Amino acid sequence: MGNPIRNVAGMSLGGGRKENFFFSLLEYYPEKKRWFLKSLHQVKDEDIRDRDEIIASWVETYCLKQLVVDFPLSRPPCEDSCLSNCEGANVCPRHQVQEVRSEMKKLLDEDANFQKTNPKKYEQERVASLEVDYSKNLLKKNTDEHMLSRSFKRKLRKGFTPYWHRPIDFWVWKNYYDQLLEVFKNSYESFGNVSFMLLARLNYLLRHLPKDLTMYESNIQICLLELYRARIVSKSLLLQLFDLDMASSAREQIILNIEKHMEIFIYENDLETIIKNSNAFDSFILSVVGQRMLMNGLREIPDWGNTDGGNFIVPMFHLQG
């Protein structure tokens, strides 16, 4: 027998309760050594059937085993059973919380030592980092490499809150905080734009999905930064996503670049939908994250980052020449 056909899907669950959303299913055909966008299915409010039922039916129809979402699949440490004996967030005894706080303190101490032992060089690097240069490489250095930016230092000093943050938040800050702030004007927060209603809905949905379905969590903006790191997309394209007049053309170019470099075939009708609809675009990007996972193209995340069972994954693309 030949290699089995592999598929993976992305589903962006962002937005309000009544917001329409899409499934994006990528399927691999070994004989062609190529991926196809097999299905781009929209779920609308006016659909007669219950939307959550549609999701479960769709998963079963395509015998789907892997699904990538942009939604927290785990909860903060404080939501566990220790609440009745809690002595305060600042003295949380959980190992994962203590480890994250220890790493945050280490970064601040190293930065303070750098400033103390070599103040002239520290200030020179500070001035250079504040210079506006649209051609500079966003990912030339990780956020946690010294010297630390002022905004990241403020973030570290605010600390890790176990009733709001998860360990993966800190890993994202270490690697992407400055870049997310510069390009997307926000910082990653697991529950930053998640309503209680959406959390309740996801918990309900998880109970009705097939037991052999494995769900993974990712982030669209981080994926776009990794596409930039691999020179598949440019910084200017990322910035154009926020321009109402240029967003559609930016989405088109990003998708065409992905199609070219990732050996993915997209039908014209689906391409048009992705270009016009940001929710379809988001779901497609998540399915690309899933494709990288199946092709063993993920960034390594420390064990403490996923000890809560969130299954957070970040794609890694081959650097283009």
Side-chain angles (χ1 to χ4, degrees):
M1 293 180 63
N3 294 327
I5 292 176
R6 294 185 293 179
N7 63 20
V8 65
M11 183 171 66
S12 176
L13 292 169
R17 177 177 176 272
K18 294 187 176 182
E19 185 136 0
N20 298 338
F21 58 91
F22 291 78
F23 305 107
S24 173
L25 178 75
L26 291 178
E27 197 163 86
Y28 182 63
Y29 290 82
E31 67 276 9
K32 298 180 181 293
K33 296 183 178 180
R34 201 166 189 193
W35 293 82
F36 287 77
L37 179 54
K38 180 77 172 181
S39 174
L40 185 68
H41 185 73
Q42 183 179 15
V43 178
K44 300 180 180 179
D45 256 356
E46 57 267 25
D47 284 339
I48 298 174
R49 295 168 57 199
D50 179 83
R51 295 201 302 172
D52 298 321
E53 180 187 339
I54 293 174
I55 295 173
S57 174
W58 183 80
V59 168
E60 292 177 356
T61 297
Y62 289 101
C63 300
L64 190 65
K65 303 301 180 185
Q66 296 99 3
L67 176 62
V68 184
V69 298
D70 57 348
F71 210 83
L73 295 177
S74 59
R75 299 292 175 264
C78 264
E79 290 202 15
D80 286 336
S81 58
C82 70
L83 280 176
S84 59
N85 300 317
C86 180
E87 296 181 5
N90 293 330
V91 292
C92 179
R94 291 187 175 276
H95 175 71
Q96 59 184 168
V97 175
Q98 292 181 340
E99 188 166 0
V100 167
R101 286 176 169 167
S102 175
E103 289 295 318
M104 295 174 77
K105 183 178 184 302
K106 187 186 301 182
L107 285 177
L108 288 170
D109 289 345
E110 289 174 355
D111 191 76
N113 185 59
F114 178 25
Q115 184 177 19
K116 180 179 179 180
T117 57
N118 203 333
K120 185 174 181 180
K121 183 179 180 181
Y122 186 91
E123 195 56 36
Q124 287 173 342
E125 292 192 15
R126 172 72 68 203
V127 172
S129 70
L130 294 174
E131 292 177 354
V132 177
D133 182 2
Y134 291 104
S135 65
K136 72 177 181 180
N137 188 334
L138 285 169
L139 299 170
K140 186 176 181 180
K141 77 178 186 72
N142 282 345
T143 302
D144 64 340
E145 293 178 21
H146 301 298
M147 137 229 78
L148 304 183
S149 69
R150 287 196 177 107
S151 58
F152 185 49
K153 286 172 70 173
R154 285 195 296 270
K155 187 69 174 177
L156 293 175
R157 286 168 178 158
K158 286 181 180 179
F160 179 88
T161 308
Y163 53 77
W164 177 249
H165 298 126
R166 298 180 298 166
I168 195 64
D169 289 65
F170 175 59
W171 183 86
V172 171
W173 299 339
K174 283 180 62 177
N175 291 277
Y176 301 100
Y177 182 84
D178 291 336
Q179 294 85 359
L180 287 169
L181 198 62
E182 181 171 347
V183 177
F184 301 105
K185 312 304 178 190
N186 63 26
S187 161
Y188 179 81
E189 306 284 349
S190 291
F191 301 89
N193 60 352
V194 179
S195 69
F196 176 79
M197 183 175 291
L198 284 174
L199 280 173
R201 178 184 178 190
L202 181 65
N203 287 333
Y204 171 84
L205 177 62
L206 290 175
R207 293 197 300 270
H208 293 80
L209 290 174
K211 300 302 181 185
D212 59 350
L213 174 70
T214 303
M215 294 186 68
Y216 299 88
E217 177 187 344
S218 194
N219 180 272
I220 293 152
Q221 295 175 347
I222 291 175
C223 179
L224 291 172
L225 287 174
E226 286 298 329
L227 286 167
Y228 165 79
R229 186 197 298 274
R231 301 174 188 160
I232 295 174
V233 304
S234 64
K235 180 180 177 182
S236 60
L237 277 177
L238 298 183
L239 295 174
Q240 287 169 22
L241 289 173
F242 298 93
D243 188 316
L244 291 178
D245 296 326
M246 304 181 72
S248 293
S249 60
R251 285 196 291 267
E252 179 178 14
Q253 192 57 56
I254 289 171
I255 296 304
L256 292 176
N257 289 357
I258 290 174
E259 185 179 28
K260 174 183 176 182
H261 292 292
M262 309 304 296
E263 297 180 336
I264 298 173
F265 179 82
I266 305 173
Y267 294 100
E268 285 296 324
N269 286 343
D270 291 335
L271 178 61
E272 184 177 350
T273 300
I274 295 171
I275 292 170
K276 291 181 177 179
N277 194 299
S278 61
N279 288 345
F281 176 81
D282 289 348
S283 289
F284 175 76
I285 293 295
L286 291 172
S287 66
V288 171
V289 175
Q291 187 239 34
R292 297 312 303 149
M293 176 186 66
L294 292 183
M295 302 298 287
N296 299 315
L298 294 181
R299 286 200 64 176
E300 184 176 352
I301 295 177
D303 291 339
W304 52 259
N306 273 321
T307 52
D308 55 12
N311 269 1
F312 195 93
I313 58 175
V314 172
M316 182 172 60
F317 303 94
H318 298 299
L319 191 65
Q320 304 299 313

